[in-house]
Amino acid sequence: RPCRHLSAYNAAMGRTLTAEQLQRYHEDGFVLVEDVFDPAELAAMDAELDAFRASEKFADHRSAGGGGGPGWVMALGLATESTRAFCEDERILDLIEPIVHPGIAIYSAKLVSKEPFEGTRCHWHQDDAYYTRHSQSACRMSVWIPLSDTTIEQGALQVIPGSHRRGLQPASMRPDGTCSLAMDVEVDLSERVYVPVRAGTMVLFSALLWHASDGNRTARRRRAFIVSYQEATAAGGNGRQWKILREADA
């Protein structure tokens, strides 16, 4: 499995995954890394996104197809200078480099939002069901970064640990909800794990991990960045969003 090979990783870079975290990622398909961002930094980004949504530019980044919600911002890395810098942040790249190599490229990025008392469900799905339409990758994964504390009542992530090892499953479009390219297989909910996350914590997960979320049952908005990365040697990505951030070693 090429994505397990670590010889290309430069330990002199910034903070990276511990051996235990890396093992957890490969076994479960996801891992939480705490205290990556300052909550005040995320709150400032949240306020900037409010201003962006009120601007004329937001119309070019609204969800179209694929089952996104009304508060989503698509092509996030192309929206503002701050969101671009966030998607390319060295703190993220240093953490994912043991997983994504040789080199790192951004595949796509979006802001996912559940507005207060928005009951819309995100269906069980795998990100690669969408992504393999545009690009093939051996190491593709995503980071999930909440802009404020996220609880189960707000629609925290739900995952099936280890499901990434079952490969890409058949999927078809659903007429309701978000994440509408949903898996056709039956999900055993006895295996489900909820992943509430504090602001500043980052969830790393495989593009093959089975995941979903319920609606927001609270009066507080739930916002999170989802930025997806792949090895720099993968041929292309999602349109203009694709960008090589760290070159593959010669």
Side-chain angles (χ1 to χ4, degrees):
R1 295 176 57 88
C3 292
R4 285 181 177 271
H5 182 57
L6 303 182
S7 63
Y9 179 66
N10 179 1
M13 301 297 289
R15 177 185 176 188
T16 188
L17 298 178
T18 67
E20 181 180 358
Q21 288 171 327
L22 187 60
Q23 180 180 5
R24 182 62 56 197
Y25 175 87
H26 286 304
E27 289 182 357
D28 290 345
F30 75 102
V31 69
L32 277 67
V33 184
E34 296 183 339
D35 301 322
V36 179
F37 302 99
D38 187 329
E41 175 185 8
L42 299 175
M45 178 65 72
D46 199 29
E48 180 173 320
L49 286 165
D50 282 336
F52 176 75
R53 285 190 62 194
S55 71
E56 294 181 356
K57 291 181 62 178
F58 176 54
D60 296 329
H61 293 266
R62 298 195 66 154
S63 176
W72 291 32
V73 178
M74 309 304 287
L76 186 68
L78 304 176
T80 72
E81 181 60 29
S82 294
T83 57
R84 180 202 62 76
F86 198 92
C87 295
E88 300 178 15
D89 196 297
E90 295 294 322
R91 290 169 292 183
I92 298 174
L93 303 186
D94 288 345
L95 282 168
I96 69 172
E97 193 159 13
I99 298 170
V100 182
H101 51 77
I104 300 173
I106 186 170
Y107 173 84
S108 67
K110 55 185 171 285
L111 174 78
V112 296
S113 177
K114 291 183 183 288
E115 299 301 307
F117 302 112
E118 180 188 336
T120 306
R121 174 173 177 74
C122 169
H123 294 288
W124 284 101
H125 68 286
Q126 297 170 290
D127 288 348
D128 252 5
Y130 295 91
Y131 297 170
T132 53
R133 295 175 169 185
H134 302 280
S135 172
Q136 301 297 318
S137 167
C139 298
R140 193 148 46 211
M141 54 81 67
S142 298
V143 300
W144 197 93
I145 305 168
L147 299 186
S148 58
D149 292 353
T150 298
T151 64
I152 292 175
E153 293 74 22
Q154 285 180 297
L157 280 175
Q158 304 171 30
V159 303
I160 303 295
S163 56
H164 64 302
R165 290 185 267 113
R166 305 178 199 179
L168 186 61
Q169 302 295 312
S172 57
M173 295 298 294
R174 301 292 194 272
D176 63 319
T178 62
C179 317
S180 54
L181 186 56
M183 295 189 307
D184 293 330
V185 300
E186 184 174 351
V187 178
D188 182 354
L189 295 182
S190 69
E191 300 178 355
R192 173 177 56 185
V193 171
Y194 288 91
V195 190
V197 183
R198 292 187 302 108
T201 293
M202 186 166 74
V203 185
L204 284 62
F205 65 95
S206 165
L208 291 171
L209 183 71
W210 300 11
H211 60 291
S213 64
D214 291 328
N216 183 357
R217 304 194 301 271
T218 76
R220 191 165 62 88
R221 171 193 288 143
R222 191 215 81 173
R223 271 181 174 168
F225 281 6
I226 299 181
V227 190
S228 299
Y229 301 92
Q230 62 189 23
E231 65 273 30
T233 53
N238 192 341
R240 293 191 303 120
Q241 297 185 71
W242 176 70
K243 182 179 182 180
I244 293 177
L245 304 179
R246 290 186 178 175
E247 297 283 351
D249 292 340

